[in-house]
Amino acid sequence: MLTYALQPDGREPLYEQLCRHIREDIRAGRLRAGEHLPSKRTLAENLGVSSITVENAYEQLISEGYVASRPRRGYYVAALGELLPPSPVSPVPRVPGGPQRPAWWLDLSGNQTSPERFPFSVWARLMRETISGDSAALLTPAPCSGVLALREAIAGHLRSFRGMSVHPDQIVVGAGTEYLYGLLIQLLGRGRVYCVENPGYPKLARIYRSHGVVCRCAALDGQGMTVQGLRESEADVAHISPAHHFPTGVIMPVSRRYELLSWAGEREGRVIIEDDYDSEFRLNGRPLPTLQSIDAGGRVIYMNTFSKSLAPTIRISYMVLPPRLAERYLARLSFYACTVSNFEQYTLARFIREGYFEKHINRMRLFYARRRQQVLDALAESPLAPRSRVEEAASGLHFLLCLDTALPDAALQERLRAQGIHLASLSDYDLGGGGTPPHRFLINYSNLPPERLPEALRRVAACLEEAPAP
Amino acid sequence: MLTYALQPDGREPLYEQLCRHIREDIRAGRLRAGEHLPSKRTLAENLGVSSITVENAYEQLISEGYVASRPRRGYYVAALGELLPPSPVSPVPRVPGGPQRPAWWLDLSGNQTSPERFPFSVWARLMRETISGDSAALLTPAPCSGVLALREAIAGHLRSFRGMSVHPDQIVVGAGTEYLYGLLIQLLGRGRVYCVENPGYPKLARIYRSHGVVCRCAALDGQGMTVQGLRESEADVAHISPAHHFPTGVIMPVSRRYELLSWAGEREGRVIIEDDYDSEFRLNGRPLPTLQSIDAGGRVIYMNTFSKSLAPTIRISYMVLPPRLAERYLARLSFYACTVSNFEQYTLARFIREGYFEKHINRMRLFYARRRQQVLDALAESPLAPRSRVEEAASGLHFLLCLDTALPDAALQERLRAQGIHLASLSDYDLGGGGTPPHRFLINYSNLPPERLPEALRRVAACLEEAPAP
């Protein structure tokens, strides 16, 4: 007879305790397959509990499959097959990212925008207003491409800020551009050849390759991706950032834009992805007109993100599909749920509609312009001045610093690493081919503590001093 | 000489107006490549504006590439190559989803949980507290797998509610299970054969195929996916929902669970994905122990979503990786940013930690149990009673209704469609093979307005009456 010490005053209900004991006995082989279990009444009497308790336990074990019952035969232990012996599993690794990342004394290449400038109190207020607003709308599933209010606000912003004429139904909202790239691969097709800029943002090629599609590189010249490089890559899809290339800072002139559009028009199925990730931060004049806005053939997909322009922890990006692709998206991919929560979508819609986004961009543009000037002034006053030259186009949040040295890039970086300074070279962004010129280093001033800059530049200069003469 | 009518009191700055006019003239061919532009002073005098205005306009046009300048030669129109003629683009389609979906008078198959039961005011309060809390943490990018506070809260919930021993670093948080499936394909490999349950949730196979991986089906028996079916599919990855299969409601007994674990252990690289999407809503007794918790070999990936248990517009799901796969995830995929915003992650962490999630689940379980009883009572009292039988296991949010009729499923559905009633048949979830038995229909009571049920059942019965005798 089964005998277990049940705890009537324990936190665990009696039937669960009984379940647990019988389950353990079955799994340990103390109760064998086919073995009869006592009737409910007998076991209840033996354990001093009610029949209901035993019945509940038996029912639970039956639904778990440990116990079976047959009419008039009562309860018995079910056949479980071979039980797997417990085997040791490897220890769990630590998750990197966020606070766990290596802490540099100064990271001159960091490309995250400064979160301190985020208009937190306004955002919080709009969020509160959103929460107190229409709860039914908040809890109604959004269309696959995002809530209409947000797509309308984005279309309005693109119209007034970028001169783009976009219908809200061309817009697809998603949880970050990285997610949208995955969606695009599904939309454009896995058999296509994708082409990114070289040098360029290494994550892009990594994402394409992680999805198992062919991703090649095309070289840049002073006007951006070359059509010749694009032809050599045999690409169907060109992924470019014409407004401001990372890391070289090249701005694509309109002639090259038309050349690329011509390339796209030559063959059915060619597409250009226009990554407009930091166009808001062009420091002088208006942002350049987008490729999308001069594309009469419907071959440009425009992409942008609020993670860059607002805060990195807001995971909202969007793409603008040409009508033909918007139609294909609906036909093939509208079974996906939108990946951004309604709360955030409605809050952002309000933020844009009520003018806060434009205000924020204008404020940030001034802030970054001042920050850039601080960096340029610090450079001019530093011992590095006679041996350095700035390559830039007064746009975006970074420029290239060209150093007059014979020291190989890796050697300089190694010396600086010992001083806690992270300096990325242009060749770090070489995606293959090795054609990038040496001695060019990325200075990203979007989130640079300016007070550390003079000392940092002194250290860079000192490392150069130790170098053999050029 | 260029002459344009500029509006000095307009909203558009003068230099932008000038830019726009010159740009349009170049694009329309009225100004030709190589053509000289007037000097700044001359044009300024001609237009009656300051030289600064013209200089700003020329500078902007130079950076856009429409205009070039050479020392001592002044400004001239740049060569633009072939301009693409504007061509008509197809009209933009309407985005379906959300409010735009066809409105049934009664959708008996709708699988969305009722948003009205979402504890909105508690959630809003926690969100407000989160916003007023540590803004630095909110704006610090989360680790790739989600903020630690949320992963800890989930691990705690899994321990107390599911008896699972999970380290927070095994957990990956993402914007919906659909997104996580895409991540899993990148993690497990594109060369693998994925296998889903047949009948089953059609979206799953659709997602796998949309990602271009081989996805096959394995038949179910009364215990869930069969090992034989799995072997015939030559799968490496089995995607199952052992706690409660959709749509049949089958609960996988522990014997089959061990059989599947044995299958996974037979060959290196085999993996089981345990989709536990509605286990919280088992109506009687405790939820069944998970496959993950009896997996000693580290071959089970456990997945669950808060979109189901909280509200469909909260896009937060998670997966629990066995240590070996957690390591591979870090090595290969940690370059991805987490897809859920920090605001929502911290709010949910609080919601779980402060006990609201458990309270909500308990409340919903009672609510759904009552709702299920209402549906069963309405059935028993309806004219359908003598011709129907319920197939279910008192779990989840749906059951199958077996109708005694000779009418083909499609014919009955067609008749009901004319009455505004959506009734999904089991064969609608047949993913191939056509082996599902006829006359079984899905009744999903998670979001069913009970007051419409008696009338709906009358209509179903009437449609059967018109049918030829069985």
Side-chain angles (χ1 to χ4, degrees):
Chain A
M1 174 57 67
L2 303 177
T3 305
Y4 304 115
L6 306 183
Q7 310 291 332
D9 51 352
R11 291 181 51 208
E12 194 183 16
L14 284 176
Y15 91 92
E16 283 184 26
Q17 297 181 41
L18 181 54
C19 255
R20 186 164 46 76
H21 286 297
I22 298 177
R23 199 189 293 119
E24 280 166 8
D25 276 357
I26 294 175
R27 290 175 62 175
R30 288 186 291 270
L31 285 169
R32 303 276 180 86
E35 198 167 318
H36 266 88
L37 293 173
S39 76
K40 291 180 278 187
R41 226 184 66 189
T42 319
L43 184 55
E45 280 170 8
N46 183 48
L47 298 176
V49 297
S50 77
S51 312
I52 301 284
T53 299
V54 179
E55 179 169 348
N56 285 341
Y58 279 3
E59 287 303 320
Q60 173 74 16
L61 289 166
I62 286 172
S63 48
E64 293 181 10
Y66 286 96
V67 167
S69 76
R70 274 187 223 146
R72 292 169 205 272
R73 286 203 45 209
Y75 301 89
Y76 58 95
V77 178
L80 287 190
E82 286 287 304
L83 295 196
L84 289 175
S87 72
V89 284
S90 53
V92 175
R94 300 287 317 157
V95 173
Q100 289 101 327
R101 281 188 186 145
W104 297 98
W105 179 73
L106 190 63
D107 185 353
L108 291 161
S109 73
N111 72 346
Q112 233 124 32
T113 46
S114 167
E116 288 144 44
R117 306 278 142 185
F118 178 67
F120 195 78
S121 59
V122 171
W123 185 265
R125 178 171 60 75
L126 294 179
M127 216 163 196
R128 277 192 289 270
E129 287 174 21
T130 302
I131 298 170
S132 327
D134 182 1
S135 69
L138 286 178
L139 295 171
T140 301
C144 53
S145 55
V147 303
L148 183 59
L150 177 57
R151 288 181 287 121
E152 282 175 346
I154 291 172
H157 165 72
L158 289 176
R159 190 167 43 246
S160 69
F161 193 77
R162 294 300 256 141
M164 290 163 67
S165 166
V166 165
H167 192 281
D169 285 350
Q170 291 177 264
I171 297 175
V172 177
V173 170
T177 32
E178 296 171 8
Y179 167 73
L180 291 176
Y181 298 150
L183 215 51
L184 270 184
I185 292 168
Q186 295 173 64
L187 182 68
L188 300 177
R190 312 190 47 76
R192 306 303 184 88
V193 174
Y194 293 76
C195 184
V196 297
E197 298 157 316
N198 187 25
Y201 190 49
K203 227 187 199 182
L204 272 186
R206 211 166 167 186
I207 290 171
Y208 282 119
R209 286 171 189 154
S210 180
H211 277 95
V213 295
V214 178
C215 179
R216 301 195 182 129
C217 306
L220 296 192
D221 61 14
Q223 305 201 322
M225 187 183 269
T226 62
V227 173
Q228 195 200 336
L230 199 49
R231 287 193 200 287
E232 283 165 7
S233 76
E234 298 180 318
D236 304 295
V237 181
H239 191 132
I240 58 175
S241 48
H244 188 232
H245 176 258
F246 181 89
T248 64
V250 165
I251 295 173
M252 186 178 284
V254 70
S255 54
R256 178 63 54 84
R257 292 174 188 231
Y258 277 115
E259 274 184 71
L260 287 176
L261 287 175
S262 293
W263 168 85
E266 279 168 14
R267 195 178 298 169
E268 195 54 45
R270 281 188 179 165
V271 171
I272 297 172
I273 298 174
E274 177 178 30
D275 213 330
D276 205 33
Y277 72 103
D278 75 350
S279 64
E280 291 85 359
F281 300 125
R282 184 164 152 69
L283 306 179
N284 304 320
R286 300 280 291 177
L288 301 187
T290 62
L291 202 54
Q292 196 271 355
S293 60
I294 58 168
D295 165 38
R299 295 184 183 93
V300 173
I301 296 169
Y302 174 91
M303 303 190 80
N304 209 334
T305 176
F306 295 98
S307 306
K308 199 87 187 171
S309 50
L310 277 176
T313 57
I314 291 179
R315 307 304 304 167
I316 311 182
S317 301
Y318 63 95
M319 55 185 177
V320 177
L321 298 174
R324 214 162 15 119
L325 287 176
E327 219 161 303
R328 194 195 293 174
Y329 165 79
L330 285 187
R332 295 197 197 161
L333 298 174
S334 58
F335 65 88
Y336 280 115
C338 182
T339 44
V340 184
S341 89
N342 280 14
F343 294 108
E344 306 239 327
Q345 290 196 62
Y346 281 110
T347 301
L348 178 57
R350 225 175 252 256
F351 190 80
I352 298 172
R353 210 170 45 225
E354 298 181 10
Y356 296 109
F357 184 55
E358 206 180 317
K359 255 185 231 163
H360 173 65
I361 286 176
N362 290 336
R363 207 184 307 114
M364 291 310 287
R365 204 163 34 214
L366 277 176
F367 170 76
Y368 288 131
R370 268 198 304 271
R371 177 59 53 86
R372 171 174 157 273
Q373 199 52 54
Q374 284 178 307
V375 176
L376 293 176
D377 291 348
L379 261 169
E381 287 160 17
S382 84
L384 209 55
R387 301 185 63 175
S388 66
R389 182 169 48 81
V390 169
E391 288 188 355
E392 62 141 6
S395 183
L397 311 174
H398 61 85
F399 57 72
L400 287 182
L401 187 66
C402 186
L403 294 181
D404 178 21
T405 176
L407 198 63
D409 291 1
L412 175 62
Q413 290 176 303
E414 186 54 46
R415 289 184 190 177
L416 285 170
R417 189 176 297 123
Q419 310 242 13
I421 294 176
H422 182 216
L423 188 65
S425 70
L426 183 56
S427 49
D428 290 342
Y429 298 95
D430 188 337
L431 307 180
T436 53
H439 314 315
R440 273 151 186 84
F441 298 91
L442 184 67
I443 307 291
N444 192 321
Y445 48 85
S446 61
N447 200 8
L448 204 61
E451 66 284 2
R452 291 198 177 174
L453 207 55
E455 171 60 18
L457 295 173
R458 251 195 307 280
R459 292 189 196 178
V460 177
C463 287
L464 286 185
E465 284 312 316
E466 297 173 40
Chain B
M1 173 60 67
L2 304 177
T3 304
Y4 304 115
L6 306 184
Q7 310 290 333
D9 51 351
R11 291 180 54 208
E12 195 184 15
L14 284 176
Y15 91 91
E16 283 183 26
Q17 296 181 40
L18 182 54
C19 256
R20 186 164 47 75
H21 285 297
I22 298 177
R23 200 189 291 121
E24 280 165 9
D25 276 356
I26 294 175
R27 290 175 62 177
R30 288 186 290 269
L31 285 169
R32 303 274 178 88
E35 198 167 318
H36 266 86
L37 294 172
S39 76
K40 291 180 280 188
R41 225 184 66 188
T42 317
L43 184 56
E45 281 169 7
N46 183 47
L47 298 176
V49 298
S50 78
S51 310
I52 302 283
T53 298
V54 179
E55 179 168 349
N56 285 342
Y58 278 4
E59 288 303 319
Q60 172 74 16
L61 289 167
I62 286 172
S63 48
E64 293 180 11
Y66 286 95
V67 167
S69 76
R70 275 188 222 146
R72 291 170 206 270
R73 283 203 49 208
Y75 301 91
Y76 58 96
V77 178
L80 287 191
E82 285 287 304
L83 296 196
L84 290 174
S87 71
V89 287
S90 53
V92 177
R94 299 287 318 159
V95 175
Q100 289 100 327
R101 280 186 186 148
W104 297 98
W105 180 74
L106 191 63
D107 184 353
L108 291 160
S109 73
N111 72 346
Q112 233 123 31
T113 46
S114 168
E116 288 142 45
R117 306 278 142 185
F118 177 67
F120 195 79
S121 58
V122 171
W123 184 266
R125 178 170 60 75
L126 295 179
M127 215 162 197
R128 276 192 290 270
E129 286 174 22
T130 302
I131 297 170
S132 326
D134 183 359
S135 70
L138 285 179
L139 294 172
T140 302
C144 52
S145 55
V147 302
L148 183 59
L150 177 57
R151 288 182 287 120
E152 282 175 347
I154 290 172
H157 165 72
L158 289 176
R159 190 166 45 246
S160 69
F161 193 77
R162 294 301 255 139
M164 290 164 67
S165 166
V166 165
H167 192 281
D169 285 350
Q170 291 177 265
I171 297 175
V172 177
V173 171
T177 32
E178 297 171 8
Y179 167 73
L180 292 176
Y181 298 150
L183 216 51
L184 270 183
I185 292 169
Q186 295 173 64
L187 182 68
L188 299 176
R190 312 188 47 77
R192 306 303 185 85
V193 174
Y194 293 77
C195 185
V196 297
E197 298 157 317
N198 186 24
Y201 190 49
K203 228 187 197 181
L204 273 186
R206 211 166 166 186
I207 290 172
Y208 282 118
R209 286 171 189 156
S210 181
H211 278 94
V213 296
V214 178
C215 179
R216 299 192 182 131
C217 306
L220 297 191
D221 62 13
Q223 306 200 323
M225 186 184 268
T226 63
V227 173
Q228 195 199 336
L230 200 47
R231 287 194 200 287
E232 284 166 7
S233 77
E234 299 181 316
D236 305 294
V237 181
H239 192 133
I240 58 175
S241 48
H244 187 232
H245 176 256
F246 181 88
T248 65
V250 165
I251 295 173
M252 186 179 282
V254 70
S255 54
R256 178 62 55 84
R257 292 173 188 234
Y258 277 115
E259 273 184 71
L260 286 176
L261 287 175
S262 295
W263 167 84
E266 279 168 13
R267 194 176 301 167
E268 194 57 43
R270 281 188 179 166
V271 170
I272 298 172
I273 298 174
E274 177 178 29
D275 214 329
D276 205 33
Y277 71 103
D278 75 350
S279 64
E280 291 85 357
F281 301 123
R282 186 166 149 69
L283 305 179
N284 303 320
R286 301 280 292 176
L288 302 186
T290 62
L291 202 54
Q292 196 271 355
S293 60
I294 57 169
D295 165 37
R299 293 186 185 89
V300 173
I301 296 169
Y302 174 91
M303 302 189 82
N304 209 333
T305 177
F306 294 99
S307 306
K308 199 86 186 171
S309 50
L310 277 176
T313 58
I314 292 178
R315 306 307 304 168
I316 311 182
S317 301
Y318 63 95
M319 55 184 179
V320 177
L321 298 173
R324 213 163 14 116
L325 286 177
E327 218 160 305
R328 193 195 292 174
Y329 165 77
L330 284 188
R332 294 194 197 163
L333 298 175
S334 58
F335 66 88
Y336 279 116
C338 182
T339 43
V340 185
S341 89
N342 280 14
F343 294 106
E344 305 240 328
Q345 291 196 61
Y346 281 111
T347 301
L348 178 57
R350 226 175 252 257
F351 190 80
I352 299 171
R353 210 168 48 223
E354 298 180 13
Y356 296 108
F357 185 54
E358 206 180 316
K359 252 183 235 165
H360 173 65
I361 286 175
N362 291 336
R363 207 183 308 115
M364 289 312 287
R365 204 163 32 218
L366 277 176
F367 169 77
Y368 287 131
R370 267 199 303 271
R371 176 60 52 88
R372 170 174 157 273
Q373 198 52 53
Q374 284 177 306
V375 176
L376 294 175
D377 291 349
L379 261 169
E381 288 161 17
S382 84
L384 209 56
R387 302 185 63 174
S388 66
R389 184 171 45 82
V390 168
E391 288 187 355
E392 62 141 7
S395 182
L397 312 175
H398 61 86
F399 57 72
L400 286 182
L401 187 67
C402 187
L403 293 181
D404 180 19
T405 177
L407 198 63
D409 291 0
L412 176 61
Q413 289 175 303
E414 187 52 47
R415 288 183 189 177
L416 285 170
R417 190 175 298 124
Q419 309 243 10
I421 295 177
H422 182 216
L423 188 66
S425 72
L426 183 56
S427 49
D428 290 341
Y429 298 95
D430 187 337
L431 307 179
T436 51
H439 314 316
R440 275 152 184 85
F441 298 92
L442 184 68
I443 307 291
N444 192 320
Y445 47 86
S446 60
N447 200 8
L448 205 60
E451 67 283 1
R452 292 199 176 172
L453 208 54
E455 171 59 20
L457 295 172
R458 250 193 308 279
R459 293 188 194 177
V460 177
C463 287
L464 287 184
E465 284 312 314
E466 297 172 40

